[in-house]
Amino acid sequence: MTDHHEHNHECGCGCGHHHDENLPDVEGHNGFEIEFKAHYKVERQKVWQALTDSEQIKAWFPELKVTEVKEGNEVQYQDEDETLSFLILDVEAPYLLSYQWKQMIVGFELDEEEGQTELTFKEWIEEVSDEVIADLTQWAVRLEALRYYLEEDHVPNLDDLYKETYPEIKAMF
C-alpha cells in the first residue's frame, strides 16, 4: 500500500501508540502484539466510517457501541451477560483507532491504495489464555463480518467461521 500514515508514538507498553496519560501503570514492553491484515475493496474513508459510526458498527459487531470517537471517550460492549466500557486511546482519522479491550489493547490502522484499503488489526496482550484465544478468534471473525458489510452490504451468520477459526488461532500459540 502506498498511502501509508506513519505512527511514531511510543508509550512503552509495546503497542506502538501514545497513551501514557491514560495507562500510567503499563510497564515497558511486557506482553506482545498479534497482528492480522484484512483487505477491503473500498476506500479508506468507508472503512473508517464502519469502524467509528455506531449505526454502521451495529451491522458487523452488534454488541459494540461508540457515541463519539475521540481520545478519552469510551467504546461500549454489551451482550446478554455483561456490559463493559473501554477507553479510546488513539484517534488519527482516518488512519488509526485504538482502545482498551478487557486487559488488552486493540488497534486498527488503515492504508489505502487505488481505492482499496488494507486494515492492520493489532492486539497487544500481556499473556496467552483461553479468553485471549477466544477474543482473537472473535476479532478475526469480526474483520470478516466487516468485509461482508463493506463489500456485500450484508453479514451472514458467522458461527461456522468462528468454529473453523478458533483452532487456527489456538495453533498460533
Side-chain angles (χ1 to χ4, degrees):
M1 298 275 157
T2 57
D3 183 16
H4 182 72
H5 179 77
E6 291 297 324
H7 309 287
N8 296 317
H9 314 101
E10 283 296 332
C11 70
C13 77
C15 78
H17 303 297
H18 65 72
H19 40 258
D20 294 314
E21 67 279 359
N22 296 324
L23 296 175
D25 60 335
V26 174
E27 294 181 25
H29 300 286
N30 290 330
F32 55 97
E33 185 174 88
I34 300 295
E35 181 177 295
F36 299 139
K37 291 197 182 279
H39 295 87
Y40 304 110
K41 297 176 184 174
V42 297
E43 295 177 350
R44 175 182 28 232
Q45 188 60 39
K46 189 169 181 181
V47 178
W48 180 258
Q49 288 299 316
L51 291 172
T52 60
D53 177 83
S54 274
E55 288 304 310
Q56 292 189 49
I57 293 169
K58 281 183 201 177
W60 63 277
F61 201 151
E63 300 85 4
L64 207 59
K65 179 182 175 187
V66 61
T67 305
E68 182 183 2
V69 175
K70 71 177 195 176
E71 292 173 16
N73 278 7
E74 293 182 339
V75 173
Q76 313 226 307
Y77 173 89
Q78 182 175 3
D79 64 17
E80 61 271 354
D81 298 325
E82 62 187 348
T83 300
L84 304 170
S85 295
F86 306 113
L87 185 66
I88 297 174
L89 302 172
D90 287 314
V91 179
E92 293 178 29
Y95 302 99
L96 170 72
L97 172 64
S98 70
Y99 45 88
Q100 289 178 306
W101 186 260
K102 301 177 185 176
Q103 299 300 315
M104 300 158 277
I105 297 171
V106 296
F108 306 85
E109 295 181 13
L110 304 177
D111 290 314
E112 182 179 337
E113 183 178 325
E114 298 178 7
Q116 296 191 32
T117 303
E118 178 181 78
L119 181 151
T120 303
F121 171 83
K122 297 180 180 184
E123 184 161 354
W124 179 85
I125 58 179
E126 189 170 350
E127 62 185 354
V128 178
S129 66
D130 288 341
E131 180 182 5
V132 167
I133 292 168
D135 187 69
L136 286 168
T137 303
Q138 190 64 253
W139 277 113
V141 169
R142 294 301 180 171
L143 293 177
E144 184 64 9
L146 179 58
R147 186 191 65 75
Y148 275 104
Y149 171 69
L150 290 168
E151 296 178 9
E152 300 181 25
D153 204 29
H154 78 285
V155 177
N157 183 315
L158 297 170
D159 291 342
D160 289 339
L161 181 60
Y162 183 92
K163 291 173 189 170
E164 293 169 21
T165 305
Y166 183 86
E168 295 172 14
I169 300 290
K170 189 167 183 146
M172 291 170 48
F173 301 99

